[in-house]
Amino acid sequence: MHSVLTTCPFCACGCGLYLHVENERIVGVSPSKKHPISRGNLCVKGWNSIEHVRHAERLREPLIRKNGKLVKTGWNHALKRISHELLRIKKKYGGESIGILSSAKCTNEENYLLMKLGRAILKTNNLDHCARLCHSPSVLGLTNAFGSGAMTNSISELAGAEVILVTGSNTTEQHPQIARFIFEALDKGAKLIVIDPRRIELSKFAHIYLRPRLGTDVIWLNGMMKIILDEGLVDDSFIKMRTENFSEFKKFLSRSDLSQVEAISGISLEDLGRAAKMYAGAKRAIIIYSMGITQHVSGTDNVESIANLAMMTGHLEQEITGVFPLRGQNNVQGACDMGALPGMLSGYQRVDDPAVLDKFSRAWNADLPSTPGLSSVDMLHNAGRIKGMFIMGENSMLSHPDMKNVRASLENSDFLAVADIFLTETAEVADVVLPAAAFVEKDGTVTSTERRIQRMRKAIPPAHLSKPDWQIIIELARHMGYPMDYESPAEVMEEIALLTPIYGGVYYDRLETVQGLQWPCSDRNHPGTPYLHKKSFTRGKGLFACIGYRPPAELPDKEYPFALTTGRVYEHWHTGSMTRRISILKRECPEGFVEISPEDARVLGIINGEPVKVISPRGEVITRAKLVGSLPAQTLFMPFHFREAPANALTNNAVDPQARIPELKICAVRLEKVT
Ligand code: SF4
């Protein structure tokens, strides 16, 4: 038996784990004791991260649609068909009629190659991935404020914090190994502020817990900053030396009416004042946030308001401070870094910057499109707009809002190809399906939420006839007449390093240790960067933005009197394609549900476990009621992992006009008993 060090395939904590291999079978998993985050721990998903790899439902060979049915075919035939169809569509309608969805589950190298194929061969910037649904407002909002959209500091710094403010992040359930560092800080005497509409587990340990109404974050954040201003708790020297536009921002705050804060957000000024003083008064304080902040039509506004708060209190530029957007999937940070975004090439280099375009055109020996493309929401919610699509490792049918609309777009396209490890709900409607290798069957790198680039290592050969996505893309490029000559992902990373300044010093020989490297890492001698913005912000000076409140796009009314919010549960991950094929996780959480407060349940005569129908203007779902004390009145919660009770059949596809993220955190619904 031998052991192979790799990185967990689920969340962006990026835990290091060992795969124990015997006779080309993985017989066990154990955490790395030396890993900076795992430190000998894994959550239940990490411990059980391999069962799905051997699952009987793994895709075994390529499939092609014939007479309405997906039937087996050979690799050559499948790749030829994809190549022929996409090139035909490009010729007939232009590159802008083709959409490419990359994957936060795939490696950096795979994301880089797919965006190269999309831009250099198919001439499209319609390239995106699931960051659109989780942290596109962070990429945009933090870039506007600081010049970089990534987490400013490192996870382990949490353990030394004096104050931690957590908002819109159910950290114990979604990033359990990050929550461990919060508890370590609490053991050392740190103070915890939790601000969340749901009374999440972490709120039990909070020194201050505040419950805002859904979608009112800008209001309480502005209120908090006005109190900090009025109390004279701003960091004048930081503001003077490191930021710009504060005088405008100060005028804007001075004009804001505190009496509106309580009326709209539901948080009393007294409680907000206590939280404001605790956060602003600390020497070292950190803000953690996640999709509770970003998945709103005001997602970018919310993120920029958080940046304002950190800047006005000077909680940046040093260790144990900063803004922590907790990214979801294990490589969602890396997929963004690699340019799986409609307006950016790798390293956040803009597609409309002539110097950038020239650099990539020369390196790739290809003309490149220079107009930013469409987001995934704009590709998937406009039936007929996109004629041909290639989707690598994403299950958009379940993850995007307003499922009916997504189905119509996918079914109305001329051609859809999907590469995945299982026949997902999205693959089921494809014209060609390619069997991809699982994470233990390929080499590559992934980048965690703290910008840590780490190795994924091949431990066993690909199952059946599956292939790693990086090989699939290379073969597809060859079929399209554009040879890509890479022998291994290590060679792809050499090209990434050459063209991507923040990855300039990232080479496989430097990634052998369990620590990996944190970007920016500009050259071979650069040690990596544990925290950003030390002497200056990436954009020079930090920019204060004056942000007014914008209500959610859809609020409860007479017909739909409940607000529905959605999210994840501890045992499952995203659309459940992997975790729902793992027996322990299935045992612990076998099916979907809708959470409701006991008071509301009593009024409707609903008992715990009873089947109920949840209805929104877009669809209806039958699931079981779960009575919980953690929800406010007139609010429901549904996890989005379950195909039999798909929360996204109900959610609204209204988007943040800047980051184009849909408002997955609030829509109006009604609840009925099933008779
Ligand atoms: Fe994997 Fe995240 Fe659990 Fe760590 S915390 S073991 S990365 S799912």
Side-chain angles (χ1 to χ4, degrees):
M1 183 156 64
H2 67 281
S3 301
V4 178
L5 178 63
T6 193
T7 308
C8 177
F10 296 117
C11 89
C13 290
C15 294
L17 51 84
Y18 285 100
L19 304 167
H20 304 291
V21 186
E22 195 172 53
N23 297 330
E24 297 198 337
R25 283 191 70 230
I26 299 172
V27 293
V29 167
S30 64
S32 159
K33 288 189 180 146
K34 291 187 187 152
H35 189 273
I37 308 307
S38 324
R39 295 185 180 174
N41 297 276
L42 295 171
C43 78
V44 69
K45 295 186 285 293
W47 277 111
N48 293 286
S49 55
I50 53 159
E51 189 183 328
H52 68 285
V53 171
R54 298 191 293 257
H55 199 280
E57 288 168 7
R58 273 290 296 274
L59 282 169
R60 289 164 180 264
E61 60 272 297
L63 305 172
I64 201 157
R65 192 165 296 278
K66 258 193 196 153
N67 303 325
K69 278 195 175 150
L70 284 170
V71 296
K72 295 175 192 174
T73 188
W75 270 103
N76 201 35
H77 186 211
L79 291 170
K80 243 189 188 164
R81 174 81 194 280
I82 298 171
S83 150
H84 172 80
E85 291 293 338
L86 293 180
L87 291 177
R88 177 187 65 78
I89 289 167
K90 183 189 126 203
K91 196 168 168 200
K92 188 166 174 191
Y93 304 103
E96 60 279 8
S97 63
I98 293 175
I100 307 267
L101 294 188
S102 211
S103 175
K105 283 188 281 201
C106 292
T107 64
N108 287 322
E109 294 77 3
E110 289 164 341
N111 278 284
Y112 175 85
L113 289 180
L114 188 57
M115 80 94 184
K116 180 173 176 177
L117 181 144
R119 291 186 158 123
I121 309 175
L122 297 171
K123 313 294 181 196
T124 183
N125 277 325
N126 298 337
L127 269 152
D128 211 356
H129 71 290
C130 67
R132 185 65 46 204
L133 305 178
C134 62
H135 276 285
S136 51
S138 299
V139 175
L140 187 66
L142 295 183
T143 302
N144 289 346
F146 305 151
S148 166
M151 182 162 149
T152 59
N153 289 56
S154 297
I155 295 167
S156 60
E157 291 175 31
L158 279 165
E162 193 182 321
V163 169
I164 301 170
L165 191 165
V166 179
T167 182
S169 157
N170 191 356
T171 323
T172 52
E173 296 218 12
Q174 304 315 320
H175 296 89
Q177 295 303 321
I178 292 179
R180 260 185 42 242
F181 289 92
I182 299 176
F183 287 119
E184 199 177 319
L186 291 179
D187 284 346
K188 292 181 193 162
K191 297 276 189 289
L192 177 64
I193 304 165
V194 174
I195 305 180
D196 201 297
R198 292 168 74 207
R199 197 179 290 276
I200 54 172
E201 192 181 10
L202 212 48
S203 65
K204 294 182 203 150
F205 304 90
H207 297 84
I208 298 174
Y209 167 60
L210 308 178
R211 172 180 270 184
R213 294 195 180 99
L214 280 167
T216 61
D217 300 294
V218 164
I219 282 283
W220 68 257
L221 279 157
N222 279 346
M224 191 179 229
M225 289 187 273
K226 174 119 188 336
I227 294 169
I228 289 170
L229 187 69
D230 293 347
E231 294 285 332
L233 292 169
V234 294
D235 186 334
D236 289 319
S237 85
F238 180 87
I239 290 167
K240 197 169 160 210
M241 301 290 292
R242 301 290 308 272
T243 68
E244 57 186 315
N245 204 36
F246 184 70
S247 54
E248 279 305 305
F249 181 66
K250 195 171 161 182
K251 275 189 231 158
F252 163 78
L253 274 189
S254 309
R255 285 196 302 268
S256 63
D257 178 5
L258 277 181
S259 67
Q260 289 292 302
V261 174
E262 186 165 351
I264 297 175
S265 75
I267 299 176
S268 79
L269 286 182
E270 195 189 336
D271 288 346
L272 196 61
R274 285 193 300 128
K277 286 173 205 161
M278 187 179 276
Y279 173 75
K283 279 205 177 70
R284 300 283 170 115
I286 289 170
I287 303 174
I288 289 177
Y289 74 86
S290 197
M291 300 196 300
I293 285 292
T294 56
Q295 288 180 329
H296 292 281
V297 289
S298 57
T300 310
D301 293 348
N302 295 346
V303 171
E304 288 193 56
S305 299
I306 283 176
N308 285 341
L309 175 61
M311 283 192 290
M312 81 184 294
T313 50
H315 289 321
L316 286 157
E317 77 167 345
Q318 50 185 330
E319 256 189 322
I320 318 180
T321 61
V323 175
F324 287 42
L326 301 188
R327 310 300 296 262
Q329 186 65 48
N330 67 333
N331 197 33
V332 70
Q333 180 67 54
C336 289
D337 299 347
M338 292 301 109
L341 295 169
M344 288 160 183
L345 288 135
S346 59
Y348 307 97
Q349 300 175 87
R350 295 195 56 88
V351 295
D352 49 8
D353 179 334
V356 167
L357 219 55
D358 184 55
K359 177 173 82 169
F360 278 87
S361 293
R362 282 167 191 270
W364 293 350
N365 194 24
D367 291 334
L368 302 176
S370 59
T371 308
L374 298 173
S375 72
S376 62
V377 179
D378 296 293
M379 293 184 233
L380 292 170
H381 293 269
N382 275 304
R385 187 167 186 177
I386 292 293
K387 309 283 185 204
M389 276 200 110
F390 185 86
I391 301 181
M392 172 175 81
E394 288 229 338
N395 191 8
S396 314
M397 191 78 90
L398 275 195
S399 62
H400 270 250
D402 195 358
M403 210 170 160
K404 241 192 243 165
N405 205 338
V406 177
R407 179 179 287 279
S409 291
L410 292 175
E411 289 182 345
N412 269 308
S413 63
D414 285 11
F415 180 75
L416 171 65
V418 171
D420 214 311
I421 62 175
F422 294 108
L423 192 68
T424 62
E425 290 70 21
T426 309
E428 278 171 7
V429 298
D431 298 291
V432 180
V433 179
L434 302 176
F439 81 108
V440 294
E441 299 163 352
K442 62 184 178 184
D443 281 311
T445 61
V446 288
T447 305
S448 76
T449 190
E450 57 174 351
R451 298 168 282 104
R452 190 179 296 280
I453 305 153
Q454 311 183 97
R455 280 296 312 276
M456 251 185 187
R457 290 183 177 84
K458 181 176 172 180
I460 55 172
H464 317 296
L465 294 179
S466 67
K467 295 185 187 205
D469 289 285
W470 66 271
Q471 277 180 6
I472 294 175
I473 300 162
I474 288 172
E475 288 181 27
L476 198 52
R478 188 168 45 76
H479 276 271
M480 292 179 174
Y482 181 94
M484 289 189 182
D485 297 321
Y486 310 97
E487 287 295 316
S488 66
E491 284 187 14
V492 182
M493 184 52 84
E494 283 173 22
E495 183 174 310
I496 295 169
L498 272 178
L499 292 171
T500 315
I502 56 173
Y503 277 63
V506 180
Y507 291 88
Y508 270 44
D509 58 318
R510 298 190 70 197
L511 295 173
E512 282 309 310
T513 69
V514 72
Q515 306 289 332
L517 280 168
Q518 283 175 282
W519 69 254
C521 175
S522 54
D523 57 61
R524 264 205 169 273
N525 299 316
H526 194 292
T529 310
Y531 66 93
L532 303 175
H533 316 306
K534 190 173 181 180
K535 293 200 177 113
S536 72
F537 284 101
T538 311
R539 70 178 297 280
K541 290 202 166 184
L543 179 67
F544 280 98
C546 305
I547 309 237
Y549 171 62
R550 211 148 23 108
E554 185 174 274
L555 287 166
D557 56 17
K558 259 192 171 164
E559 198 181 348
Y560 301 101
F562 284 88
L564 173 73
T565 191
T566 63
R568 296 179 290 228
V569 298
Y570 175 57
E571 295 83 3
H572 289 295
W573 197 244
H574 290 172
T575 64
S577 58
M578 297 190 286
T579 52
R580 294 197 74 205
R581 290 181 169 96
I582 295 172
S583 46
I584 290 178
L585 303 180
K586 256 173 75 179
R587 184 193 71 196
E588 293 301 306
C589 184
E591 59 179 11
F593 52 84
V594 57
E595 289 184 356
I596 180 171
S597 73
E599 296 74 30
D600 286 333
R602 205 165 22 247
V603 172
L604 293 171
I606 290 167
I607 55 172
N608 195 32
E610 188 179 9
V612 288
K613 194 189 274 184
V614 192
I615 306 160
S616 86
R618 291 155 293 279
E620 53 186 60
V621 166
I622 293 179
T623 186
R624 289 190 188 280
K626 187 172 176 183
L627 274 57
V628 296
S630 56
L631 278 175
Q634 297 298 113
T635 305
L636 306 175
F637 169 81
M638 276 179 82
F640 59 79
H641 315 290
F642 302 94
R643 65 182 290 169
E644 320 78 47
N648 282 326
L650 307 166
T651 47
N652 191 358
N653 64 14
V655 293
D656 174 337
Q658 302 174 75
R660 314 295 295 163
I661 189 170
E663 191 154 59
L664 294 159
K665 278 290 181 270
I666 176 168
C667 70
V669 296
R670 71 171 180 271
L671 197 64
E672 290 177 358
K673 278 167 80 81
V674 175
T675 48

